[in-house]
Amino acid sequence: MEQNDITVWALSHVYDGPVAAHFDAFAKWLDLQGYRRRCIGLQLQFVVRFDRWLKANHVRLDDLTEDHAERFKVRCSARHRLPRGFSATLY
């Protein structure tokens, strides 16, 4: 089945965190790189968690640094083992 930008992914909620405006572009980029729908969905779920964390910690997109990504990664690692490659998603 061929993927297209209409059916590649869908989120069940509307998000308004600092990176939410970039979800569509990220999903399309992953699709162009040849990622399968399931992988795109998993990557987007991870980015949504990061977006929620940024919002909860009052981090604006203009203030975002690698330190924020590192702190989030450490937090996630403490709760769950991160799948290979997910850390790179933040950078």
Side-chain angles (χ1 to χ4, degrees), residues 28-61:
K28 288 177 184 175
W29 181 83
L30 291 171
D31 184 45
L32 289 173
Q33 300 305 308
Y35 283 79
R36 294 178 186 247
R37 286 188 187 139
R38 184 178 187 301
C39 292
I40 293 171
L42 292 172
Q43 291 286 342
L44 286 170
Q45 288 173 11
F46 184 65
V47 172
V48 165
R49 286 181 19 214
F50 183 52
D51 188 55
R52 285 186 197 152
W53 181 87
L54 291 171
K55 185 176 180 180
N57 288 279
H58 309 287
V59 179
R60 297 176 338 158
L61 191 57

Side-chain angles (χ1 to χ4, degrees), residues 3-6 8-9 21-37 39-41 43-44 47 85-91:
Q3 296 180 18
N4 63 55
D5 61 353
I6 295 170
V8 170
W9 71 283
H22 303 280
F23 290 165
D24 285 329
F26 182 57
K28 288 177 184 175
W29 181 83
L30 291 171
D31 184 45
L32 289 173
Q33 300 305 308
Y35 283 79
R36 294 178 186 247
R37 286 188 187 139
C39 292
I40 293 171
Q43 291 286 342
L44 286 170
V47 172
F86 272 50
S87 294
T89 300
L90 300 177
Y91 299 95

